Amino acid sequence: MKWKIILFVLSLTLVFSACEKQDISVFTTDDSGIYFQRVTSYIYNSTTEYYGDSLAYSFASAKASIKSAVLSATIRTMGKVVDYDRPFKVVVDQEGTTAIEGKHYEVDLDTVVVPAGKSTAYVRVRFFRTDDMMEKAVRLALRLEDNEYFKCYFPEYKNTNAYSATGVMIHGDVFAFSLSEMYTEPSYWAMFGGSFFGDWTPKKYIVVNSVCGLTPSDWSNAGYAGTKVQYGRFNFFATAVQKYLQEQADAGTPELEADGSYMQLAPSYSVDYSRYE
């Protein structure tokens, strides 16, 4: 029994002597870090989260009366939380941006701060609904830069906090917004709408929806019992749209298509634009 104890002690000694001391890198600087982090999803009843470095929004899902939308990019910090406001530096990344300031968006980047006692802040951007978004998406990219309060330690990081997950790499110093309003012709319009509204165009589609109080969802369910879009109501809809277009034309503010032509309906509901010829 005595020898067994001695052998056990010797074996432990060998194991411990074989283990070498390893230095593990930790965040020890007094500087504070800053990065973008949008939570895209999470696993219920756990701490696992997934992140993204972009946000896409389509005005096609918004009511026709909505002319703008405010979207946010979330900022996270690492390091100590302090009891005073800390400005951070964010600029428009021109290389990754197609949106035009004043036309597609407005943003104040001169007054952005991480509030006292907080480790999170938001960059809020107002995007405007413009006709060209019906043809293609516009993109605004924001880029974080170092300043006296924060350093950009994370140009890239894994898109999840789950240690065991492989994940993909996303940007920590760049965040991109993508704005669009692209539509496809509803099948019910293609079958019956031409005889009332004429050829389908994205702009005409929006005007019809605005005047008649319709939504893309109404068109998706068209023809079913109890839905708003029914063939039997097309005469009423077309008459209402014709009246609206004529009023706009008579007031000197005619509705135009994307190509600059006057918006017109089917011959039975035509709008008089003779004053402009």
Side-chain angles (χ1 to χ4, degrees):
M1 185 68 175
K2 181 178 179 180
W3 281 107
K4 290 183 178 180
I5 295 174
I6 292 173
L7 289 173
F8 177 71
V9 172
L10 286 174
S11 65
L12 287 178
T13 302
L14 290 172
V15 169
F16 288 130
S17 63
C19 296
E20 297 180 359
K21 181 180 179 181
Q22 295 183 352
D23 294 326
I24 300 175
S25 299
V26 295
F27 187 78
T28 57
T29 178
D30 289 333
D31 292 336
S32 295
I34 192 167
Y35 56 100
F36 288 110
Q37 187 175 85
R38 172 178 174 249
V39 177
T40 58
S41 62
Y42 62 91
I43 296 179
Y44 179 73
N45 205 28
S46 78
T47 59
T48 300
E49 294 180 333
Y50 291 89
Y51 311 118
D53 56 8
S54 62
L55 175 62
Y57 178 84
S58 174
F59 279 105
S61 61
K63 293 182 179 180
S65 58
I66 302 299
K67 302 303 180 184
S68 67
V70 176
L71 305 177
S72 299
T74 303
I75 302 293
R76 307 286 187 187
T77 67
M78 59 185 300
K80 297 178 181 178
V81 174
V82 299
D83 59 359
Y84 52 86
D85 292 349
R86 290 176 291 175
F88 58 91
K89 186 176 182 181
V90 59
V91 300
V92 174
D93 185 276
Q94 297 296 341
E95 185 176 343
T97 296
T98 59
I100 301 172
E101 186 172 8
K103 176 183 178 181
H104 298 117
Y105 73 93
E106 65 178 16
V107 61
D108 182 2
L109 299 178
D110 296 326
T111 60
V112 289
V113 299
V114 176
K118 302 291 184 181
S119 59
T120 302
Y122 303 92
V123 180
R124 293 181 171 83
V125 185
R126 181 174 294 278
F127 290 95
F128 302 109
R129 193 175 201 166
T130 56
D131 290 346
D132 56 346
M133 290 182 185
M134 298 181 194
E135 305 296 329
K136 61 182 179 180
V138 299
R139 190 173 189 269
L140 170 65
L142 301 178
R143 187 178 72 252
L144 289 168
E145 295 184 348
D146 295 349
N147 71 352
E148 60 183 297
Y149 296 98
F150 298 102
K151 303 297 182 184
C152 299
Y153 289 108
F154 294 136
E156 290 186 331
Y157 65 96
K158 193 169 67 171
N159 74 331
T160 177
N161 64 352
Y163 178 77
S164 59
T166 303
V168 297
M169 301 303 291
I170 61 174
H171 295 96
D173 58 354
V174 176
F175 190 87
F177 298 93
S178 178
L179 279 293
S180 66
E181 189 180 1
M182 289 180 277
Y183 301 92
T184 56
E185 182 179 6
S187 58
Y188 206 74
W189 183 311
M191 289 187 292
F192 306 112
S195 300
F196 299 87
F197 307 117
D199 294 336
W200 184 90
T201 68
K203 288 200 68 177
K204 189 187 297 182
Y205 178 64
I206 292 173
V207 169
V208 169
N209 287 350
S210 178
V211 172
C212 302
L214 304 175
T215 66
S217 179
D218 292 327
W219 284 98
S220 297
N221 298 315
Y224 291 101
T227 59
K228 289 184 178 181
V229 179
Q230 300 281 345
Y231 181 83
R233 303 185 70 188
F234 272 11
N235 176 63
F236 169 77
F237 288 154
T239 300
V241 175
Q242 191 277 339
K243 179 181 178 182
Y244 166 78
L245 293 177
Q246 193 63 63
E247 288 175 347
Q248 293 299 108
D250 294 343
T253 55
E255 288 282 357
L256 303 178
E257 296 285 6
D259 62 2
S261 62
Y262 299 114
M263 188 173 294
Q264 189 57 273
L265 304 178
S268 298
Y269 305 91
S270 63
V271 182
D272 180 10
Y273 290 109
S274 60
R275 63 177 294 186
Y276 299 99
E277 296 176 353

